[in-house]
Amino acid sequence: EVQLVESGGGLVQPGTSLRLSCAASGFRFDDYAMHWVRQTPGKGLEWVSGISWNSGHIDYADSVKGRFTISRDNARNSLYLEMNSLRTEDMALYYCAKDSRPSIRGGVFDLWGQGTLVTVS
Amino acid sequence: DIQMTQSPSSLSASVGDRVTITCQATQDISTSLNWYQQKPGKAPKLLIYDASNLQTGVPARFSGSGSGTEFTFTISSLQPEDFATYYCQQYDWLSPITFGQGTRLEIQ
């Protein structure tokens, strides 16, 4: 089955860290760029970070630059998001999303996970 | 950053109606525009990519058009399962990826 499954969310205090994971299955993971997108009731959908198929191109939203680190392990078909210095405004449902193209500038999210909730309080 | 403004923010319609949602970009993004559907408690689902291309498996009653700064998303004949929230999203090279604020489509 083609799917993405996120994990690692939870309740943390401001200033602490959390690592999200996304396990991919059913498609050639190393052919595509991957992204993290978050959603809050107040701010809607917000792109957080993207990583190209070979990790050669990485980008972040300004709101998380310097605090979050995206990475991938193609051998394990897994995507990660290391989140440091968490703030209350980082509280959201975090989705892992597959790009339809190998470059992060492909920007077409054709497969999404179910999301993992991060609560900062 | 390129800002995306959707209108209307919410819309009431009936089964069988033709519905149109617009999305306006603050800069020319050519056709770097996608449309997603999101139902409560579910992840967004890609419907239209590159402004006018129908994603595989998506019913043909969904369509998209436009280029530059003005885009339109249309459902030709609303079905009960179409009541959801719809988002536009741009991916222009010169800006971080951004989404519109969403249009909530409700049953009239």
Side-chain angles (χ1 to χ4, degrees):
Chain A
E1 183 183 1
V2 177
Q3 64 177 356
L4 298 170
V5 179
E6 301 95 335
S7 60
L11 172 62
V12 295
Q13 294 184 335
T16 61
S17 300
L18 203 58
R19 189 193 198 207
L20 305 183
S21 299
C22 171
S25 59
F27 64 96
R28 280 205 56 148
F29 183 72
D30 55 6
D31 276 352
Y32 302 100
M34 297 293 297
H35 302 262
W36 289 98
V37 177
R38 65 188 182 186
Q39 185 170 32
T40 61
K43 292 187 68 177
L45 290 164
E46 181 186 16
W47 173 81
V48 173
S49 181
I51 184 168
S52 63
W53 68 280
N54 64 351
S55 304
H57 187 193
I58 287 173
D59 201 7
Y60 300 95
D62 285 345
S63 58
V64 306
K65 201 169 290 184
R67 300 186 299 120
F68 290 12
T69 302
I70 191 172
S71 63
R72 65 189 295 163
D73 184 339
N74 287 345
R76 296 178 182 270
N77 291 336
S78 293
L79 176 72
Y80 306 101
L81 185 68
E82 187 75 38
M83 304 186 295
N84 297 320
S85 302
L86 281 162
R87 305 168 179 169
T88 54
E89 55 264 37
D90 295 319
M91 187 160 55
L93 182 63
Y94 283 74
Y95 291 106
C96 164
K98 170 189 168 292
D99 203 308
S100 67
R101 296 153 181 168
S103 164
I104 63 171
R105 300 318 296 174
V108 178
F109 306 147
D110 63 354
L111 179 67
W112 298 62
Q114 84 289 351
T116 186
L117 185 63
V118 173
T119 303
V120 184
S121 179
Chain B
D1 296 0
I2 296 173
Q3 305 303 315
M4 307 301 294
T5 302
Q6 281 183 240
S7 61
S9 296
S10 63
L11 174 60
S12 294
S14 302
V15 172
D17 284 354
R18 181 181 180 88
V19 167
T20 297
I21 299 169
T22 63
C23 187
Q24 184 173 41
T26 52
Q27 298 175 39
D28 187 337
I29 59 171
S30 184
T31 56
S32 300
L33 190 285
N34 306 319
W35 291 95
Y36 299 85
Q37 175 193 67
Q38 186 176 33
K39 296 182 178 180
K42 300 293 187 181
K45 173 188 175 184
L46 177 67
L47 300 179
I48 301 289
Y49 65 95
D50 296 347
S52 61
N53 294 298
L54 192 66
Q55 174 68 354
T56 302
V58 174
R61 64 180 180 273
F62 296 99
S63 65
S65 65
S67 66
T69 62
E70 300 285 340
F71 301 87
T72 299
F73 172 79
T74 299
I75 306 173
S76 60
S77 179
L78 269 175
Q79 298 302 301
E81 61 268 29
D82 299 339
F83 292 95
T85 300
Y86 294 85
Y87 295 92
C88 63
Q89 171 242 322
Q90 68 78 24
Y91 56 95
D92 185 78
W93 277 87
L94 298 178
S95 168
I97 291 169
T98 51
F99 292 84
Q101 81 278 14
T103 295
R104 185 176 179 182
L105 178 54
E106 300 173 318
I107 301 173
Q108 190 167 49

